[in-house]
Amino acid sequence: MRKLFMAEMEAVGDDLVEMATLVNRAMKQARVALESRDTGLAETVILQDARIDYLQNTLDERTIELLLLQNPVATDLRLLIAALRVSSSMERMGDLARHVAALVRLRYPNSVIPDESRAEVEEMAELTVSVGEHLQRLMTSYDLVEGREIVKLNNDIDILHSQIMQNVTEGSWNLSGPQAQDLTLLVMRLERFGDHGVSISRKIAYLVTGEWEPPAMP
Amino acid sequence: MRKLFMAEMEAVGDDLVEMATLVNRAMKQARVALESRDTGLAETVILQDARIDYLQNTLDERTIELLLLQNPVATDLRLLIAALRVSSSMERMGDLARHVAALVRLRYPNSVIPDESRAEVEEMAELTVSVGEHLQRLMTSYDLVEGREIVKLNNDIDILHSQIMQNVTEGSWNLSGPQAQDLTLLVMRLERFGDHGVSISRKIAYLVTGEWEPPAMP
C-alpha cells in the first residue's frame, strides 16, 4: 500500500516537472512569435496549452484521490497541498503565454508591439522568459536559489511594466487607441506571468523549509 | 477532539462567508467610486482589501493545520480543499476590486471611463456587481442556483467585454492612447472578477454534488 502511495506521489512530482517544462517552452515560443510575428509558432503555443490544462486536471484528480484515500503523513500532505497550488499557478501561466500568442495571431500582419515601445517590451519579454527557465529548474531541483532568482527577475519586470504604462499614460509615445490597448494587454500578461512565478517560489520555499515566509530579497 | 475539529471546520466556513461578504461590498463600492469619481470611497475599498488578505491567510493556516493534525474524513477533506481554492479566488477578486478603485484614485479628477464607452462599461459593471451579490449568497446558502446565476452573468460579461474591446480595436470610439489603456485595464478586471466567480461556483458544485462538472448552462 505504502509502495503504491510512493509511486503515486512520484507521479505527482513528475506531472509538476512536465508542466513547468511546457510552461517554460510556451513562454519562450510566445516571445519568439511576438517579436518575429510568427503565426505558425503562435498557433503551436495555442495548441500546446491544451496539454498543460490536461496535466493540471490529471494532477488535481491524482492529488485529491491521494488525500482522500491514503491518510498521508504530514510531509506528504504538505507536498500534496503545495502541488495543488503550484499546478493551479502553472496552468494560469500557460494561459498567459497562450493569450500572448493569440494576440500575435489576431493582429497579424501587424505587430502587437508599437515601434516606440519595442526596446522596453523586448527587455520585459526577455525577463519573463527567464522566469520560465528558472521555474523549470526550480521544479526539477527544488533548489531555492532558483526561487530567489525568480523574485529578483519579477522585481525588474514590475519596474519595466510601470515604466511602459507610465509612458502610455503620459502620452510620451503618442500611441493610438488600438496600439495602447494591445500594449496594455500584452505587458499585463507578461507581468502576471512573473507574479505567478513568485507565488510558486514562495510555495516551494514553504515546502522545503516548512517556514511560511517569502524568499529573502536579493 | 472531534468537537474541537467541528468548531474549527465551522470557523473555516465563517471565514469564507465573511470573505464573500467583503468581496461583494468591495466591488459594489468600487463600482460607485468608478461611476461617480468618488476618491474617498475608492480609498475605503483599497484599505478594506487588507482585511480580505488577512482572512485568506487565517483561513489558509487554519485549513492546513486541520489537514495536518486531524486526519479528517473524506467529506471534511473535500470541504477543506474546496475552502483553500475558494479563498484563493476570493482573495484575487478583492484585489481586482482594489485595482479598479486604485485606477479611479489615480485618474481623479478625470474619469476612468471614456464618455463614448460609458453605457457599455456601466452595464458591465452592473453585471459584475451582481456576480458579487450571488457569490455572497452562494457562500451563505450553498444553493447551486446561485452558482448557475453567476455562470449566466459571466456569459453576459464576456460578451460585453468582447464588444468593448472590439470597439477600441476598430477605432469606432476614436479613443486616445491613455483612454484606451484605462479602459482596457478596467474591463479586464471586471471580466476576471466574473471568471473567478465562475471558478468558485464550479468548486462549490463539486463540493455539494461530488461531481466534477460545470454547473448546467441556463
Side-chain angles (χ1 to χ4, degrees):
Chain A
M1 191 63 176
R2 182 72 194 161
K3 209 170 156 188
L4 186 68
F5 180 78
M6 291 309 288
E8 281 288 310
M9 288 288 285
E10 217 177 285
V12 168
D14 289 348
D15 283 349
L16 286 176
V17 171
E18 189 182 346
M19 282 187 85
T21 307
L22 292 177
V23 164
N24 178 24
R25 186 174 68 182
M27 188 46 90
K28 239 190 244 296
Q29 292 176 331
R31 176 215 189 175
V32 175
L34 172 71
E35 296 182 359
S36 58
R37 284 176 290 156
D38 182 336
T39 51
L41 198 54
E43 189 70 37
T44 303
V45 173
I46 294 165
L47 291 174
Q48 281 168 352
D49 189 45
R51 172 79 188 155
I52 299 176
D53 293 349
Y54 170 80
L55 277 170
Q56 198 220 352
N57 279 329
T58 312
L59 191 142
D60 262 33
E61 278 166 24
R62 215 196 288 269
T63 307
I64 291 177
E65 284 296 301
L66 282 170
L67 283 169
L68 284 172
L69 298 174
Q70 313 270 3
N71 274 340
V73 296
T75 328
D76 296 340
L77 193 54
R78 191 182 281 144
L79 186 77
L80 290 172
I81 293 171
L84 279 177
R85 301 180 140 185
V86 166
S87 80
S88 135
S89 269
M90 288 204 283
E91 189 269 332
R92 190 72 199 123
M93 291 171 97
D95 285 350
L96 291 164
R98 173 167 54 81
H99 288 321
V100 169
L103 198 56
V104 169
R105 196 177 56 170
L106 191 64
R107 293 299 177 246
Y108 183 83
N110 296 315
S111 175
V112 175
I113 312 174
D115 281 338
E116 297 86 334
S117 65
R118 185 162 296 272
E120 287 82 352
V121 171
E122 291 192 354
E123 195 183 339
M124 198 175 162
E126 189 179 341
L127 294 168
T128 309
V129 166
S130 287
V131 167
E133 284 165 359
H134 287 282
L135 174 71
Q136 184 178 343
R137 281 191 230 147
L138 176 65
M139 295 314 298
T140 313
S141 67
Y142 289 80
D143 181 346
L144 299 188
V145 169
E146 302 296 341
R148 282 194 286 275
E149 198 53 42
I150 290 175
V151 172
K152 211 157 84 179
L153 286 164
N154 189 56
N155 290 339
D156 293 341
I157 290 175
D158 284 349
I159 292 169
L160 269 167
H161 182 234
S162 296
Q163 282 172 358
I164 292 169
M165 288 292 88
Q166 194 69 23
N167 276 325
V168 180
T169 305
E170 291 171 354
S172 12
W173 284 334
N174 201 20
L175 305 182
S176 70
Q179 282 179 318
Q181 176 191 34
D182 283 353
L183 185 59
T184 303
L185 284 174
L186 173 65
V187 294
M188 165 169 276
R189 279 150 190 177
L190 300 179
E191 191 260 339
R192 292 294 303 154
F193 190 93
D195 283 347
H196 281 288
V198 168
S199 157
I200 292 172
S201 303
R202 287 188 176 162
K203 270 148 205 150
I204 299 297
Y206 170 66
L207 188 64
V208 172
T209 64
E211 303 273 311
W212 187 251
E213 55 181 3
M217 295 295 286
Chain B
M1 192 63 176
R2 181 74 194 159
K3 210 170 156 187
L4 187 67
F5 181 78
M6 292 309 287
E8 281 288 309
M9 287 289 284
E10 218 177 282
V12 168
D14 289 347
D15 283 349
L16 286 176
V17 171
E18 190 182 347
M19 282 187 85
T21 307
L22 292 177
V23 164
N24 178 24
R25 187 175 66 182
M27 187 46 90
K28 240 190 242 297
Q29 292 176 332
R31 177 216 188 175
V32 174
L34 171 72
E35 296 183 358
S36 58
R37 285 175 289 157
D38 182 336
T39 51
L41 197 53
E43 189 69 39
T44 304
V45 173
I46 294 164
L47 291 173
Q48 283 169 352
D49 189 46
R51 173 77 189 156
I52 298 176
D53 293 349
Y54 170 79
L55 278 171
Q56 199 220 352
N57 279 330
T58 312
L59 191 143
D60 263 32
E61 278 165 24
R62 215 194 288 271
T63 307
I64 291 176
E65 284 297 301
L66 282 171
L67 284 169
L68 283 173
L69 298 174
Q70 314 270 1
N71 273 342
V73 296
T75 329
D76 296 340
L77 193 54
R78 191 181 281 143
L79 186 77
L80 291 173
I81 293 171
L84 279 178
R85 302 180 139 187
V86 166
S87 79
S88 135
S89 269
M90 288 205 283
E91 189 270 331
R92 190 73 199 123
M93 291 171 97
D95 285 349
L96 291 165
R98 173 168 53 81
H99 289 321
V100 169
L103 198 56
V104 169
R105 196 178 56 171
L106 191 64
R107 292 300 176 245
Y108 184 83
N110 296 315
S111 175
V112 175
I113 312 174
D115 281 337
E116 297 86 333
S117 64
R118 185 161 295 271
E120 286 83 352
V121 171
E122 291 193 354
E123 195 183 338
M124 197 174 162
E126 189 179 341
L127 294 169
T128 309
V129 165
S130 286
V131 167
E133 284 165 358
H134 286 283
L135 175 71
Q136 184 179 342
R137 282 191 229 147
L138 175 66
M139 296 314 298
T140 313
S141 67
Y142 289 79
D143 181 346
L144 299 188
V145 168
E146 303 297 341
R148 283 194 286 275
E149 199 53 43
I150 291 175
V151 172
K152 210 157 83 179
L153 286 164
N154 189 55
N155 289 338
D156 294 341
I157 290 174
D158 284 349
I159 291 168
L160 269 166
H161 182 235
S162 296
Q163 282 173 357
I164 292 169
M165 288 293 87
Q166 193 70 23
N167 276 324
V168 179
T169 305
E170 292 171 355
S172 12
W173 284 334
N174 201 19
L175 304 182
S176 70
Q179 281 179 318
Q181 176 192 33
D182 282 353
L183 184 59
T184 302
L185 284 174
L186 173 65
V187 295
M188 165 170 277
R189 279 149 189 177
L190 300 179
E191 191 260 339
R192 292 293 304 154
F193 190 92
D195 283 348
H196 281 288
V198 168
S199 157
I200 292 172
S201 302
R202 288 188 176 159
K203 270 148 205 152
I204 299 297
Y206 170 68
L207 189 64
V208 172
T209 64
E211 305 272 313
W212 187 251
E213 55 181 3
M217 295 295 287

